[in-house]
Amino acid sequence: MARRTLNDPPLTQSDPEIAALIAAEERREVDKLRLIASENYVSRAVLDATGSILTNKYSEGYAGKRYYEGQQLIDQIELLAISRVKQLFGAEHVNVQPYSGSPANLAAYLAFCKPGDPVLGLGLPAGGHLTHGWSVSITGKYFDSHGYGVKRDDQRIDFDEVVRLAREHKPKLIWCGTTAYPRTLDFARFREIADEVGAILCADIAHISGLVAGGAHPTPVGIADVVTTTTHKTLRGPRGGMILCKAEHAKAIDRAVFPGLQGGPHNHTTAGIAVAAGEALRPEFKEYAHAVVANAKALAEGLKSRGFDLVTGGTDNHLILLDLTSKNVPGKVAAQALDRAGIVANYNSVPFDPRKPFDPSGLRIGTPSITTRGMGSAEMAKLAEWMERVVAAPEDSAVVEGVAAEVKELCAEFPPPGIQID
Ligand SMILES: *Cc1c(COP(=O)(O)O)cnc(C)c1O
């Protein structure tokens, strides 16, 4: 590495205020059980790439066709990221430039739709994402969006409704993909429906791409026309987005990302994606992906045996959606008490929730972060017990503080990657 110039102090000296806040966040991420289903811990190697001088470089365009000079090394980095991601998912074409999951989805709209075109996606209250056409999102405002839901009886995707809405509205684009849905997605079923009405099928695997890469969830690659994903959830890369697609859509997707939607790619993120994809190609990643699901299933059983109601009755993936109605505790009260006890989750609507989105009935929890720390079934059993104790007495500070002490002790046994605490 090049020598630092004299007037170039490290963050701790140059900006102690921000440095102290980052150090405190490191402490928090070590001391607490992080159950937010979309979060994880990245490796030291991913952090090193992401925090590198690649942030200094402008690279509008694609390898070999850039609008700025000096791309000798950036092109190699982006091509490596692409080839690793192709290998990981078996994709024909990959674009690693989207700034995050939401811009990746916007690029899919831009590639195939005109403003006002009909589109179809899973509604937010049923576990869909804002960018699948929800009313407050640009995707709900600029397109004629229709939302399918889940069934009342088993809370699984209502394919009869998908078919009915698809025939009625003839969408240009159909989204399959979820942000709060604990079951396996049947991509082939969506493909049939898309084919019947001549729609582009777009699978958004933002949450599950790590499971797909590790073989712990069926892949939509080869079935959907386009697959979008974040890189920072179960995939354990830097914050970013990617689009995988069939070769026939490569041009449309690349043009939509740049120059359609974005300027220069974030090269430091691209390098982080390359590193994360390299990690995901190793056998240990498969073990991790399967352990994420095994832990979620173990935790689901533990919670069920303690009287918790689980949306759909269980899980096939990395997340569990709890309906706390029968526990007589609103999701927000539970989430706040759990956070004080060192168990960090988010309150969430459940399907057909009678309560308001800002004060819903449910809680969403996921196992990616705690699995990355190396926790297993014994820890899932403890976690279920702690959650039961806190949810039964969210206002009882003795209970909450007692659990917090036990959580901290457990966390000390499972140091996460990427964080050096002395
Ligand atoms: C998280 C998520 C996104 C958005 O990702 P951001 O990086 O937060 O923009 C898109 N789709 C789904 C299904 C998600 O879960």
Side-chain angles (χ1 to χ4, degrees):
M1 286 285 149
R3 218 157 31 89
R4 279 177 187 281
T5 57
L6 275 180
N7 193 20
D8 188 18
L11 186 64
T12 44
Q13 286 166 31
S14 134
D15 193 334
E17 201 177 1
I18 284 292
L21 289 167
I22 294 174
E25 172 65 11
E26 285 183 333
R27 193 76 256 176
R28 190 192 71 83
E29 293 193 11
V30 169
D31 288 345
K32 296 202 170 186
L33 289 168
R34 298 169 57 233
L35 301 187
I36 293 176
S38 49
E39 295 182 2
N40 217 322
Y41 296 94
V42 299
S43 66
R44 180 85 257 161
V46 168
L47 286 176
D48 285 348
T50 308
S52 71
I53 51 80
L54 297 172
T55 195
N56 295 344
K57 184 80 194 98
Y58 244 101
S59 313
E60 281 181 0
Y62 294 100
K65 291 164 284 186
R66 304 280 189 186
Y67 291 81
Y68 295 80
E69 297 313 313
Q71 312 295 345
Q72 295 84 351
L73 305 160
I74 298 299
D75 276 6
Q76 294 182 54
I77 290 168
E78 189 169 323
L79 290 173
L80 255 181
I82 289 168
S83 76
R84 288 178 187 176
V85 173
K86 272 189 181 172
Q87 190 188 341
L88 187 61
F89 290 96
E92 290 178 12
H93 180 77
V94 171
N95 186 310
V96 293
Q97 293 193 3
Y99 298 144
S100 209
S102 304
N105 288 352
L106 284 185
Y109 285 97
L110 185 59
F112 303 109
C113 301
K114 297 215 162 22
D117 275 350
V119 298
L120 187 57
L122 179 63
L124 190 77
H129 194 259
L130 283 164
T131 54
H132 298 178
W134 192 239
S135 55
V136 298
S137 156
I138 183 170
T139 61
K141 293 180 193 292
Y142 285 26
F143 300 98
D144 174 28
S145 94
H146 300 274
Y148 53 90
V150 295
K151 289 172 284 178
R152 264 188 195 273
D153 54 356
D154 63 2
Q155 297 157 314
R156 297 192 186 222
I157 286 173
D158 186 347
F159 278 105
D160 292 339
E161 191 180 21
V162 182
V163 171
R164 185 173 59 73
L165 291 172
R167 286 178 182 159
E168 186 181 336
H169 300 290
K170 298 272 185 292
K172 275 272 175 61
L173 195 68
I174 297 178
W175 286 101
C176 56
T178 61
T179 197
Y181 184 73
R183 294 298 179 177
T184 302
L185 293 172
D186 185 350
F187 298 117
R189 185 86 186 84
F190 279 104
R191 177 78 264 170
E192 285 170 24
I193 298 167
D195 283 344
E196 186 193 316
V197 300
I200 291 280
L201 180 63
C202 199
D204 177 354
I205 58 169
H207 261 260
I208 57 170
S209 54
L211 305 183
V212 170
H217 187 289
T219 182
V221 175
I223 299 173
D225 298 285
V226 175
V227 177
T228 63
T229 182
T230 59
T231 48
H232 49 270
K233 297 182 182 176
T234 51
L235 193 57
R236 244 170 27 185
R239 299 199 85 84
M242 305 193 290
I243 304 177
L244 289 55
C245 65
K246 299 187 172 176
E248 65 187 284
H249 301 307
K251 256 205 186 118
I253 287 294
D254 284 353
R255 270 199 211 122
V257 173
F258 174 84
L261 206 59
Q262 299 187 167
H266 294 179
N267 298 313
H268 54 301
T269 301
T270 305
I273 291 172
V275 172
E279 291 174 355
L281 283 164
R282 297 187 195 136
E284 305 90 271
F285 193 86
K286 275 201 171 63
E287 283 170 34
Y288 147 79
H290 284 93
V292 167
V293 176
N295 278 340
K297 285 181 185 288
L299 184 56
E301 286 312 310
L303 290 167
K304 272 205 303 205
S305 73
R306 292 171 186 280
F308 282 93
D309 284 334
L310 277 53
V311 170
T312 76
T315 181
D316 301 326
N317 59 23
H318 63 298
L319 72 81
I320 297 165
L321 200 52
L322 296 168
D323 184 342
L324 298 175
T325 308
S326 65
K327 295 276 187 186
N328 280 316
V329 182
K332 203 174 191 174
V333 172
Q336 288 170 350
L338 285 164
D339 189 32
R340 290 197 298 278
I343 299 169
V344 191
N346 59 282
Y347 59 84
N348 213 105
S349 293
V350 297
F352 310 104
D353 202 326
R355 302 176 65 94
K356 300 235 151 56
F358 196 60
D359 184 22
S361 305
L363 197 65
R364 187 186 69 160
I365 57 178
T367 52
S369 299
I370 54 178
T371 305
T372 294
R373 298 180 80 150
M375 294 182 187
S377 58
E379 290 72 40
M380 298 309 115
K382 281 186 196 166
L383 179 51
E385 188 214 315
W386 290 330
M387 288 184 67
E388 181 189 33
R389 267 157 63 189
V390 173
V391 169
E395 314 291 353
D396 187 330
S397 55
V399 168
V400 170
E401 281 159 30
V403 170
E406 288 181 57
V407 165
K408 198 169 167 186
E409 208 171 301
L410 180 79
C411 284
E413 291 173 42
F414 293 90
I419 303 178
Q420 190 79 49
I421 299 259
D422 332 292

